[in-house]
Amino acid sequence: MNKNASQWLLGFLLVSFPLATLVLVLALATIPAKQVFMDQDELTSSTLLPDFAAIDQTPERKEQFLNMLRPLIDEKNAKLLKSRERLLKIKAEWEESQTISGVNQRNLEKLRAKFHVTYETYPEDDKAVDILLLRVDAIPPAMVMAQAAVESGWGTSRFAEEAHNLFGHWCYKEGCGIVPSKRPKGAKHEVKKFNNVEESLTAYFNNINTHNAYRPWRQLRAQLRDAPQQFTGSAMVAELGKYSGRGSMYIHELRTVIRTNNLE
């Protein structure tokens, strides 16, 4: 390469590198900080619900339904456990120095927001960490699959087909979902509409991990999580009586689904 060509190439690199860096910085600046965090914690795929009602054979329908859900549940649990690892690092720093600083403080702020642990209710960071440890954790896959099967009729219910709603989620803002045909007079709830299976699954995990109705469920998880033989879907559905108006009958149905379909 002659001298002129070398000088030209060097000049080009000196000009193009800062420009490329500027473009990258501007691109990153357009992504909200919340979204950067969510990309690490949320499911990023977008699965549209197949037409399960068109599958005549029940065993095949069930198999395809479970095959759709199982990898998504495993991925969601893996992401939750990574968030839990960050939380345990935060707890370790607090126990060592009675302070939370730097990246640990930023992660704590994000986890507080994501899992609804507010400063109004839990102003002290150490108490917030303890509450988060009850919320930032995995859910037994068998329990998730059983509830999805029961609540959606193995993916064939009207609300599953029209709204990707696999877990019977309600919403209360007009137009947020589908009005149930048998909704009592004066009731305001709708069955929430989701764009894909992942959104429905995420809402379910958030519900179980944060709603006050499932605080006893989370306390049971804290007791059993380190004993794999006890931390099962069949054991954990014991505290799901408030998920359905059928109470103990609902729990019995979930256990029957888990057992007869060999979900664990």
Side-chain angles (χ1 to χ4, degrees):
M1 184 181 293
N2 60 44
K3 182 177 180 180
N4 289 338
S6 299
Q7 291 176 339
W8 179 88
L9 179 59
L10 178 60
F12 174 78
L13 292 174
L14 289 173
V15 172
S16 61
F17 180 76
L19 287 175
T21 302
L22 178 61
V23 169
L24 178 61
V25 170
L26 292 174
L28 291 174
T30 63
I31 304 175
K34 182 180 178 181
Q35 185 63 45
V36 173
F37 178 72
M38 287 178 62
D39 286 346
Q40 299 174 3
D41 284 67
E42 300 298 341
L43 299 170
T44 57
S45 53
S46 180
T47 303
L48 300 181
L49 197 73
D51 185 5
F52 288 114
I55 304 174
D56 293 331
Q57 300 299 315
T58 298
E60 181 183 353
R61 185 189 312 122
K62 288 183 175 182
E63 182 181 7
Q64 290 194 25
F65 183 79
L66 296 175
N67 287 343
M68 175 193 71
L69 277 180
R70 191 175 282 110
L72 297 178
I73 296 168
D74 290 344
E75 181 183 355
K76 182 63 180 177
N77 275 331
K79 289 177 179 290
L80 276 167
L81 292 176
K82 283 190 176 181
S83 290
R84 186 176 179 85
E85 288 177 9
R86 291 196 291 270
L87 186 58
L88 290 172
K89 290 179 181 178
I90 294 169
K91 183 176 179 63
E93 181 185 1
W94 173 263
E95 291 178 343
E96 181 178 347
S97 62
Q98 300 298 293
T99 59
I100 301 174
S101 59
V103 67
N104 281 341
Q105 184 62 49
R106 292 192 293 274
N107 280 332
L108 179 58
E109 295 294 330
K110 293 169 185 174
L111 289 168
R112 270 182 173 272
K114 183 176 178 60
F115 291 90
H116 312 306
V117 179
T118 66
Y119 278 100
E120 289 76 15
T121 307
Y122 303 103
E124 299 173 345
D125 281 344
D126 58 332
K127 180 61 176 177
V129 169
D130 289 339
I131 297 300
L132 282 166
L133 282 170
L134 291 172
R135 299 185 179 192
V136 185
D137 210 344
I139 299 176
M143 176 180 134
V144 184
M145 289 186 285
Q147 285 198 271
V150 169
E151 298 291 340
S152 73
W154 294 91
T156 65
S157 71
R158 173 196 173 199
F159 301 124
E161 292 180 342
E162 297 181 16
H164 286 93
N165 192 322
L166 300 182
F167 297 94
H169 281 110
W170 287 4
C171 56
Y172 296 90
K173 183 178 179 180
E174 186 176 356
C176 64
I178 299 172
V179 177
S181 58
K182 296 181 180 180
R183 186 176 71 176
K185 185 177 180 180
K188 302 294 184 181
H189 70 273
E190 298 181 12
V191 177
K192 189 169 183 178
K193 190 168 186 177
F194 298 102
N195 293 315
N196 50 57
V197 173
E198 285 81 355
E199 285 186 7
S200 180
L201 190 64
T202 294
Y204 166 83
F205 269 80
N206 290 344
N207 186 31
I208 296 296
N209 276 333
T210 65
H211 198 288
N212 283 337
Y214 308 115
R215 184 180 299 169
W217 185 93
R218 295 190 292 272
Q219 291 172 338
L220 178 61
R221 176 173 60 183
Q223 295 171 20
L224 300 182
R225 69 176 311 279
D226 294 324
Q229 292 183 338
Q230 299 178 56
F231 185 52
T232 64
S234 294
M236 292 306 302
V237 301
E239 292 293 350
L240 288 180
K242 291 184 178 179
Y243 200 98
S244 167
R246 292 185 290 133
S248 60
M249 292 182 62
Y250 181 70
I251 294 171
H252 175 73
E253 182 177 10
L254 292 175
R255 284 177 170 156
T256 300
V257 170
I258 290 172
R259 184 182 67 256
T260 59
N261 293 280
N262 299 312
L263 298 185
E264 61 187 4

